[in-house]
Amino acid sequence: MPFISILRDLKGKGGIDEKVEQECGLGERRSFDFSAEGSSSSYPVVGQSRWASLPLELLLDIIGRVEADETAWPARRAMVCCAAVCRSWRGVVREVVQTPEECGLLTFPMSLKQPGPRDSLIQCFIRRERATSTYRLYLGLSPAISGDASKFLLVAKRIKRATKTDFVISFAANDISHTSEYYAGKLRSNFFGSKFYVHDSQPPCNTPIQSHGWSRKRISPKKVAPRIPICNFNVATIAYELNVLRTRGPRRMNCTMHMIPVSSTQEGGSAPTPATFSYGLDDSFSPFTPSVGRGQDSASDVPISGKYGSIGKQLILKNKIPRWHEQLQCWCLNFRGRATVASVKNFQLVASGEPSENVPSPEQESVVLQFGKIGKDIFTMDYQYPLSAFQAFAICLSSFDTKPVCE
Protein backbone atom coordinates (compact mmCIF):
# COMPACT_ATOMS: atom_id res chain seq x y z
CA MET A 1 0.00 0.00 0.00
CA PRO A 2 1.45 3.42 -0.90
CA PHE A 3 2.67 5.47 2.04
CA ILE A 4 0.25 8.33 1.27
CA SER A 5 -2.68 5.88 1.50
CA ILE A 6 -1.46 4.73 4.90
CA LEU A 7 -1.41 8.32 6.11
CA ARG A 8 -4.93 8.96 4.85
CA ASP A 9 -6.24 5.81 6.55
CA LEU A 10 -4.72 6.81 9.86
CA LYS A 11 -5.98 10.35 9.44
CA GLY A 12 -9.50 9.00 9.07
CA LYS A 13 -9.05 7.35 12.46
CA GLY A 14 -8.17 10.67 14.04
CA GLY A 15 -4.52 9.95 14.63
CA ILE A 16 -2.76 12.75 12.75
CA ASP A 17 -2.79 16.47 13.22
CA GLU A 18 -2.61 19.07 10.49
CA LYS A 19 0.96 20.08 11.19
CA VAL A 20 2.33 16.57 10.76
CA GLU A 21 0.14 16.11 7.69
CA GLN A 22 1.87 19.06 6.04
CA GLU A 23 5.28 17.64 6.92
CA CYS A 24 4.38 14.34 5.26
CA GLY A 25 3.39 15.99 2.02
CA LEU A 26 -0.42 15.78 2.22
CA GLY A 27 -0.85 19.45 2.94
CA GLU A 28 1.23 22.39 1.76
CA ARG A 29 4.52 20.75 0.72
CA ARG A 30 7.89 22.08 1.69
CA SER A 31 11.01 21.07 -0.22
CA PHE A 32 11.44 17.36 0.38
CA ASP A 33 15.17 17.53 -0.27
CA PHE A 34 15.93 18.50 3.31
CA SER A 35 13.15 16.89 5.30
CA ALA A 36 15.29 14.10 6.72
CA GLU A 37 18.49 15.96 7.57
CA GLY A 38 18.92 19.23 9.35
CA SER A 39 18.89 20.69 12.80
CA SER A 40 16.58 19.00 15.26
CA SER A 41 14.76 22.27 15.89
CA SER A 42 13.51 22.29 12.29
CA TYR A 43 11.05 19.45 12.80
CA PRO A 44 8.06 19.13 15.10
CA VAL A 45 8.27 16.37 17.65
CA VAL A 46 4.83 14.94 18.23
CA GLY A 47 4.93 13.62 21.76
CA GLN A 48 1.28 12.72 22.35
CA SER A 49 0.15 11.40 18.97
CA ARG A 50 0.06 7.79 17.88
CA TRP A 51 2.75 8.63 15.31
CA ALA A 52 5.42 9.03 18.00
CA SER A 53 4.14 6.19 20.19
CA LEU A 54 3.79 3.63 17.39
CA PRO A 55 5.33 0.28 18.50
CA LEU A 56 8.87 -0.05 17.23
CA GLU A 57 8.28 -3.47 15.67
CA LEU A 58 5.29 -2.17 13.69
CA LEU A 59 7.18 0.98 12.70
CA LEU A 60 10.14 -1.05 11.43
CA ASP A 61 7.81 -3.28 9.43
CA ILE A 62 5.98 -0.34 7.82
CA ILE A 63 9.15 1.54 6.87
CA GLY A 64 10.79 -1.68 5.70
CA ARG A 65 7.92 -2.32 3.30
CA VAL A 66 8.01 1.26 2.03
CA GLU A 67 11.77 0.96 1.48
CA ALA A 68 11.28 -2.26 -0.49
CA ASP A 69 8.66 -0.72 -2.79
CA GLU A 70 9.89 2.86 -3.27
CA THR A 71 13.00 2.36 -5.40
CA ALA A 72 13.00 5.39 -7.70
CA TRP A 73 12.09 9.06 -7.78
CA PRO A 74 9.52 10.52 -7.50
CA ALA A 75 8.07 7.49 -5.70
CA ARG A 76 11.02 7.45 -3.30
CA ARG A 77 9.82 10.72 -1.78
CA ALA A 78 7.75 8.50 0.51
CA MET A 79 10.91 7.57 2.43
CA VAL A 80 11.63 11.26 3.02
CA CYS A 81 8.04 11.73 4.15
CA CYS A 82 8.52 8.94 6.70
CA ALA A 83 11.54 10.71 8.15
CA ALA A 84 9.63 14.01 8.35
CA VAL A 85 6.94 12.68 10.70
CA CYS A 86 8.87 12.93 13.97
CA ARG A 87 12.27 12.34 15.53
CA SER A 88 11.69 8.67 16.35
CA TRP A 89 10.64 7.97 12.75
CA ARG A 90 13.80 9.61 11.43
CA GLY A 91 15.94 7.33 13.56
CA VAL A 92 14.21 4.22 12.19
CA VAL A 93 14.44 5.46 8.61
CA ARG A 94 18.18 5.98 8.98
CA GLU A 95 18.52 2.40 10.18
CA VAL A 96 16.46 0.95 7.34
CA VAL A 97 17.78 3.02 4.42
CA GLN A 98 21.13 1.77 3.17
CA THR A 99 24.03 3.79 1.82
CA PRO A 100 24.42 4.40 -1.94
CA GLU A 101 27.27 1.88 -1.94
CA GLU A 102 24.86 -0.84 -0.77
CA CYS A 103 21.64 0.05 -2.60
CA GLY A 104 22.71 2.42 -5.39
CA LEU A 105 20.07 5.00 -4.39
CA LEU A 106 20.27 8.63 -3.26
CA THR A 107 17.61 9.21 -0.62
CA PHE A 108 18.71 11.92 1.81
CA PRO A 109 21.20 14.80 1.57
CA MET A 110 23.82 12.82 3.50
CA SER A 111 23.79 10.33 0.58
CA LEU A 112 25.46 13.03 -1.53
CA LYS A 113 28.62 12.77 0.57
CA GLN A 114 28.69 8.99 0.70
CA PRO A 115 30.50 6.88 -1.95
CA GLY A 116 28.42 5.55 -4.83
CA PRO A 117 27.85 1.88 -5.71
CA ARG A 118 30.79 -0.34 -6.61
CA ASP A 119 29.35 -2.21 -9.59
CA SER A 120 27.34 0.44 -11.42
CA LEU A 121 27.32 4.14 -12.23
CA ILE A 122 24.82 6.57 -10.72
CA GLN A 123 23.61 8.58 -13.71
CA CYS A 124 23.04 12.32 -13.28
CA PHE A 125 23.01 15.42 -15.46
CA ILE A 126 24.07 19.04 -15.02
CA ARG A 127 22.09 21.99 -16.35
CA ARG A 128 24.10 25.16 -16.98
CA GLU A 129 22.52 28.61 -16.75
CA ARG A 130 24.84 30.98 -18.57
CA ALA A 131 23.12 34.21 -17.50
CA THR A 132 23.60 33.55 -13.80
CA SER A 133 26.70 31.29 -13.97
CA THR A 134 24.73 28.64 -12.12
CA TYR A 135 25.07 24.86 -12.44
CA ARG A 136 22.39 22.50 -11.14
CA LEU A 137 22.88 18.77 -10.62
CA TYR A 138 19.93 16.39 -11.05
CA LEU A 139 19.50 12.66 -10.66
CA GLY A 140 18.38 11.12 -13.95
CA LEU A 141 19.44 10.24 -17.47
CA SER A 142 18.60 13.59 -19.08
CA PRO A 143 15.92 16.31 -18.92
CA ALA A 144 14.21 14.86 -22.00
CA ILE A 145 13.91 11.38 -20.45
CA SER A 146 13.48 12.11 -16.74
CA GLY A 147 11.32 15.23 -17.04
CA ASP A 148 9.59 16.17 -13.78
CA ALA A 149 10.92 12.99 -12.16
CA SER A 150 14.44 14.46 -12.10
CA LYS A 151 15.62 14.73 -8.51
CA PHE A 152 17.48 17.94 -7.63
CA LEU A 153 20.73 17.18 -5.83
CA LEU A 154 23.15 20.12 -5.71
CA VAL A 155 23.65 23.61 -7.14
CA ALA A 156 26.82 25.64 -7.70
CA LYS A 157 27.37 29.28 -8.56
CA ARG A 158 30.52 30.52 -10.26
CA ILE A 159 32.08 33.64 -8.72
CA LYS A 160 34.86 35.19 -10.80
CA ARG A 161 37.47 37.09 -8.82
CA ALA A 162 40.63 38.96 -9.80
CA THR A 163 43.07 36.20 -8.87
CA LYS A 164 40.87 33.08 -8.72
CA THR A 165 37.49 31.56 -9.43
CA ASP A 166 35.17 30.12 -6.79
CA PHE A 167 32.31 27.68 -7.29
CA VAL A 168 30.08 27.79 -4.20
CA ILE A 169 28.14 24.52 -3.81
CA SER A 170 24.84 24.33 -1.92
CA PHE A 171 22.17 21.77 -1.05
CA ALA A 172 19.37 24.34 -1.53
CA ALA A 173 18.31 25.28 -5.04
CA ASN A 174 17.73 28.94 -4.21
CA ASP A 175 20.16 29.56 -1.34
CA ILE A 176 23.73 29.68 -2.65
CA SER A 177 26.00 31.39 -0.16
CA HIS A 178 28.96 30.75 2.14
CA THR A 179 26.81 31.97 5.00
CA SER A 180 23.90 29.64 4.31
CA GLU A 181 23.17 26.65 6.50
CA TYR A 182 22.84 24.65 3.27
CA TYR A 183 26.43 25.43 2.24
CA ALA A 184 28.02 22.13 1.13
CA GLY A 185 31.49 23.24 0.07
CA LYS A 186 33.34 25.01 -2.70
CA LEU A 187 35.77 24.62 -5.56
CA ARG A 188 38.59 27.17 -5.85
CA SER A 189 41.05 27.65 -8.71
CA ASN A 190 44.47 29.22 -8.87
CA PHE A 191 45.25 32.26 -11.01
CA PHE A 192 46.04 30.29 -14.18
CA GLY A 193 43.11 27.87 -13.90
CA SER A 194 45.50 24.93 -13.94
CA LYS A 195 44.81 23.70 -10.41
CA PHE A 196 41.60 23.45 -8.38
CA TYR A 197 40.99 22.68 -4.72
CA VAL A 198 37.84 20.96 -3.47
CA HIS A 199 36.81 22.14 0.01
CA ASP A 200 34.19 20.38 2.11
CA SER A 201 32.19 22.46 4.58
CA GLN A 202 32.35 19.76 7.23
CA PRO A 203 35.19 17.62 8.56
CA PRO A 204 35.13 14.12 7.10
CA CYS A 205 35.47 12.66 10.60
CA ASN A 206 36.06 13.48 14.25
CA THR A 207 39.81 13.25 13.90
CA PRO A 208 41.94 16.36 13.34
CA ILE A 209 42.21 17.37 9.69
CA GLN A 210 43.96 20.11 7.81
CA SER A 211 41.72 23.14 7.36
CA HIS A 212 41.89 25.77 4.62
CA GLY A 213 40.14 29.04 5.27
CA TRP A 214 37.77 30.04 8.05
CA SER A 215 34.16 31.07 7.56
CA ARG A 216 33.14 32.59 10.88
CA LYS A 217 30.21 34.44 9.34
CA ARG A 218 28.52 31.32 8.09
CA ILE A 219 26.86 30.04 11.27
CA SER A 220 26.26 31.55 14.67
CA PRO A 221 28.73 30.15 17.23
CA LYS A 222 25.80 29.23 19.47
CA LYS A 223 24.69 26.65 16.90
CA VAL A 224 28.04 24.94 16.60
CA ALA A 225 29.44 22.23 18.81
CA PRO A 226 32.68 23.58 20.37
CA ARG A 227 34.70 20.59 19.18
CA ILE A 228 33.82 21.15 15.49
CA PRO A 229 35.52 24.11 13.75
CA ILE A 230 33.76 26.22 11.15
CA CYS A 231 36.04 26.03 8.16
CA ASN A 232 36.67 24.47 4.78
CA PHE A 233 38.49 21.16 4.54
CA ASN A 234 40.61 20.34 1.51
CA VAL A 235 39.47 16.89 0.35
CA ALA A 236 40.78 16.86 -3.23
CA THR A 237 43.13 18.64 -5.63
CA ILE A 238 42.53 18.71 -9.39
CA ALA A 239 45.49 19.51 -11.64
CA TYR A 240 45.42 20.15 -15.39
CA GLU A 241 48.58 19.61 -17.39
CA LEU A 242 50.11 22.81 -18.73
CA ASN A 243 50.06 23.22 -22.51
CA VAL A 244 53.13 25.39 -22.99
CA LEU A 245 53.44 24.77 -26.74
CA ARG A 246 49.73 25.45 -27.29
CA THR A 247 49.32 22.18 -29.19
CA ARG A 248 45.80 21.14 -30.07
CA GLY A 249 44.46 18.10 -28.31
CA PRO A 250 42.43 16.87 -25.35
CA ARG A 251 43.01 18.12 -21.83
CA ARG A 252 45.05 16.05 -19.43
CA MET A 253 44.09 16.06 -15.77
CA ASN A 254 44.59 14.15 -12.55
CA CYS A 255 42.73 14.30 -9.24
CA THR A 256 44.34 13.64 -5.88
CA MET A 257 41.69 12.46 -3.41
CA HIS A 258 43.20 13.36 -0.04
CA MET A 259 40.69 11.46 2.10
CA ILE A 260 40.38 8.32 -0.08
CA PRO A 261 43.16 5.73 0.24
CA VAL A 262 44.35 3.88 -2.83
CA SER A 263 43.51 0.68 -0.96
CA SER A 264 39.82 1.45 -1.55
CA THR A 265 40.25 0.16 -5.12
CA GLN A 266 41.49 -3.20 -3.90
CA GLU A 267 39.33 -6.14 -2.91
CA GLY A 268 38.12 -5.62 0.64
CA GLY A 269 39.20 -1.99 0.67
CA SER A 270 36.89 0.79 1.79
CA ALA A 271 36.53 4.55 1.45
CA PRO A 272 35.37 6.88 4.25
CA THR A 273 31.57 6.80 4.49
CA PRO A 274 29.92 9.40 6.76
CA ALA A 275 27.00 7.97 8.70
CA THR A 276 25.31 11.28 9.37
CA PHE A 277 25.76 15.02 9.14
CA SER A 278 23.69 18.14 9.59
CA TYR A 279 23.58 21.49 7.88
CA GLY A 280 24.01 23.57 11.01
CA LEU A 281 26.74 21.36 12.46
CA ASP A 282 24.72 21.02 15.65
CA ASP A 283 24.42 17.23 15.51
CA SER A 284 27.22 14.86 16.34
CA PHE A 285 29.39 13.31 13.65
CA SER A 286 29.74 9.58 13.38
CA PRO A 287 33.22 8.18 12.71
CA PHE A 288 33.89 6.56 9.38
CA THR A 289 35.00 3.08 8.64
CA PRO A 290 38.61 2.46 9.79
CA SER A 291 39.98 4.32 6.76
CA VAL A 292 39.79 7.66 8.51
CA GLY A 293 42.75 9.96 8.19
CA ARG A 294 44.12 13.42 7.93
CA GLY A 295 44.01 15.02 4.49
CA GLN A 296 47.20 16.58 3.20
CA ASP A 297 47.60 18.86 0.21
CA SER A 298 50.76 17.31 -1.14
CA ALA A 299 52.06 14.58 -3.41
CA SER A 300 50.33 11.26 -3.77
CA ASP A 301 53.09 9.33 -1.98
CA VAL A 302 52.35 10.99 1.36
CA PRO A 303 50.54 8.48 3.61
CA ILE A 304 47.19 9.48 5.09
CA SER A 305 47.50 9.27 8.86
CA GLY A 306 45.25 9.89 11.83
CA LYS A 307 44.39 8.35 15.16
CA TYR A 308 44.07 4.99 13.39
CA GLY A 309 47.61 5.25 12.10
CA SER A 310 48.88 5.24 8.54
CA ILE A 311 46.38 3.78 6.08
CA GLY A 312 48.30 4.10 2.82
CA LYS A 313 48.69 6.45 -0.10
CA GLN A 314 46.11 8.80 -1.48
CA LEU A 315 44.04 7.75 -4.47
CA ILE A 316 44.96 9.38 -7.78
CA LEU A 317 42.45 9.59 -10.62
CA LYS A 318 43.63 10.41 -14.13
CA ASN A 319 41.69 11.08 -17.30
CA LYS A 320 41.46 8.27 -19.80
CA ILE A 321 43.48 9.16 -22.89
CA PRO A 322 41.23 9.31 -25.99
CA ARG A 323 42.23 7.77 -29.30
CA TRP A 324 42.49 9.56 -32.62
CA HIS A 325 39.76 8.52 -35.09
CA GLU A 326 41.09 8.71 -38.63
CA GLN A 327 37.70 8.79 -40.35
CA LEU A 328 36.17 11.40 -38.05
CA GLN A 329 39.44 13.30 -37.67
CA CYS A 330 38.91 13.87 -33.97
CA TRP A 331 39.73 12.45 -30.55
CA CYS A 332 37.21 9.85 -29.35
CA LEU A 333 36.22 8.04 -26.15
CA ASN A 334 33.52 5.43 -25.63
CA PHE A 335 30.90 7.13 -23.42
CA ARG A 336 28.33 4.42 -24.17
CA GLY A 337 25.82 6.96 -25.43
CA ARG A 338 26.23 9.38 -22.51
CA ALA A 339 28.06 12.02 -24.58
CA THR A 340 26.68 13.04 -27.97
CA VAL A 341 28.37 16.42 -28.56
CA ALA A 342 32.12 16.82 -29.11
CA SER A 343 33.65 19.09 -26.47
CA VAL A 344 37.02 19.68 -24.84
CA LYS A 345 35.18 19.47 -21.53
CA ASN A 346 34.35 15.77 -21.96
CA PHE A 347 36.45 13.39 -19.87
CA GLN A 348 36.56 9.98 -18.17
CA LEU A 349 38.51 9.35 -14.95
CA VAL A 350 40.09 6.03 -13.98
CA ALA A 351 42.23 4.96 -11.04
CA SER A 352 45.96 5.55 -11.50
CA GLY A 353 48.23 3.17 -9.65
CA GLU A 354 51.89 2.25 -9.48
CA PRO A 355 52.90 -1.44 -9.50
CA SER A 356 53.78 -1.17 -5.80
CA GLU A 357 50.26 0.00 -4.96
CA ASN A 358 48.64 -3.27 -6.13
CA VAL A 359 45.77 -1.55 -7.95
CA PRO A 360 44.01 -4.29 -9.97
CA SER A 361 44.19 -3.88 -13.75
CA PRO A 362 40.37 -3.96 -14.13
CA GLU A 363 40.12 -1.07 -11.67
CA GLN A 364 42.60 0.94 -13.72
CA GLU A 365 40.33 0.51 -16.74
CA SER A 366 37.01 0.96 -14.93
CA VAL A 367 35.58 4.46 -15.30
CA VAL A 368 35.04 6.07 -11.88
CA LEU A 369 33.63 9.35 -13.23
CA GLN A 370 32.61 10.45 -16.71
CA PHE A 371 31.42 13.84 -17.86
CA GLY A 372 29.96 14.41 -21.31
CA LYS A 373 28.06 17.04 -23.26
CA ILE A 374 24.66 16.16 -24.74
CA GLY A 375 23.24 19.63 -25.47
CA LYS A 376 24.07 23.31 -25.53
CA ASP A 377 23.86 23.61 -21.75
CA ILE A 378 23.19 20.01 -20.68
CA PHE A 379 25.95 17.67 -19.51
CA THR A 380 25.85 14.14 -18.14
CA MET A 381 27.70 13.13 -14.95
CA ASP A 382 28.03 9.44 -14.07
CA TYR A 383 30.02 8.34 -11.03
CA GLN A 384 30.62 5.30 -8.82
CA TYR A 385 32.64 4.13 -5.82
CA PRO A 386 34.77 5.51 -4.23
CA LEU A 387 33.59 8.99 -5.24
CA SER A 388 30.56 10.72 -3.73
CA ALA A 389 28.12 12.91 -5.64
CA PHE A 390 29.60 16.02 -4.01
CA GLN A 391 33.16 15.11 -5.00
CA ALA A 392 32.14 14.13 -8.54
CA PHE A 393 30.16 17.36 -9.00
CA ALA A 394 33.12 19.47 -7.82
CA ILE A 395 35.48 17.71 -10.24
CA CYS A 396 33.06 18.30 -13.13
CA LEU A 397 32.74 21.98 -12.22
CA SER A 398 36.47 22.39 -12.78
CA SER A 399 35.91 21.55 -16.44
CA PHE A 400 33.67 24.61 -16.88
CA ASP A 401 36.30 27.15 -15.86
CA THR A 402 38.61 28.81 -18.39
CA LYS A 403 42.18 27.50 -18.54
CA PRO A 404 44.38 29.90 -20.53
CA VAL A 405 47.59 27.91 -19.95
CA CYS A 406 46.13 24.44 -20.52
CA GLU A 407 44.56 24.71 -23.98
Side-chain angles (χ1 to χ4, degrees), residues 204-205 207-209 259 272 291-295 304-309 311:
C205 57
T207 58
I209 179 176
M259 292 308 301
S291 56
V292 182
R294 176 189 177 111
I304 308 173
S305 60
K307 71 177 182 180
Y308 296 100
I311 59 175

Side-chain angles (χ1 to χ4, degrees), residues 349-392:
L349 294 184
V350 296
S352 173
E354 300 294 335
S356 60
E357 295 173 349
N358 298 322
V359 178
S361 298
E363 293 295 336
Q364 298 186 40
E365 294 297 325
S366 177
V367 175
V368 176
L369 169 64
Q370 69 177 15
F371 176 74
K373 188 174 183 179
I374 59 174
K376 181 179 180 181
D377 292 304
I378 303 296
F379 302 81
T380 59
M381 187 196 87
D382 303 335
Y383 76 97
Q384 66 175 355
Y385 192 91
L387 292 183
S388 66
F390 168 77
Q391 295 166 346

Side-chain angles (χ1 to χ4, degrees), residues 30-215:
R30 294 193 292 179
S31 175
F32 61 82
D33 296 285
F34 312 103
S35 57
E37 295 295 328
S39 61
S40 58
S41 60
S42 302
Y43 303 101
V45 179
V46 185
Q48 302 300 325
S49 72
R50 66 180 62 183
W51 290 98
S53 58
L54 200 65
L56 181 60
E57 294 78 6
L58 178 58
L59 181 57
L60 283 170
D61 183 64
I62 293 176
I63 295 181
R65 293 187 182 188
V66 174
E67 165 68 5
D69 294 337
E70 311 294 340
T71 58
W73 290 95
R76 196 162 180 80
R77 295 174 186 174
M79 289 306 300
V80 182
C81 292
C82 288
V85 173
C86 61
R87 186 176 298 172
S88 61
W89 279 57
R90 286 200 299 278
V92 174
V93 170
R94 288 174 179 173
E95 293 180 7
V96 173
V97 174
Q98 297 177 318
T99 64
E101 177 187 353
E102 298 169 318
C103 66
L105 300 172
L106 300 176
T107 305
F108 302 127
M110 71 177 178
S111 303
L112 302 178
K113 294 196 175 182
Q114 295 175 332
R118 290 179 180 266
D119 301 325
S120 61
L121 293 167
I122 293 183
Q123 297 178 319
C124 310
F125 67 89
I126 299 173
R127 185 189 297 273
R128 175 175 59 182
E129 299 177 6
R130 295 175 180 265
T132 58
S133 297
T134 303
Y135 307 85
R136 302 182 187 276
L137 177 66
Y138 296 90
L139 178 65
L141 295 175
S142 69
I145 298 176
S146 302
D148 295 336
S150 300
K151 160 73 172 167
F152 168 80
L153 300 178
L154 292 167
V155 63
K157 184 176 180 62
R158 180 185 177 192
I159 303 175
K160 190 72 174 179
R161 305 184 188 278
T163 59
K164 59 182 179 294
T165 300
D166 282 352
F167 289 85
V168 180
I169 306 174
S170 174
F171 292 104
N174 300 313
D175 191 357
I176 314 173
S177 171
H178 287 93
T179 60
S180 170
E181 63 178 340
Y182 302 117
Y183 172 68
K186 69 179 179 181
L187 176 72
R188 171 166 291 181
S189 75
N190 63 359
F191 177 76
F192 297 104
S194 60
K195 186 171 288 188
F196 295 79
Y197 305 94
V198 180
H199 298 279
D200 199 330
S201 63
Q202 299 167 353
C205 57
N206 281 331
T207 58
I209 179 176
Q210 184 177 5
S211 164
H212 296 262
W214 289 79
S215 303

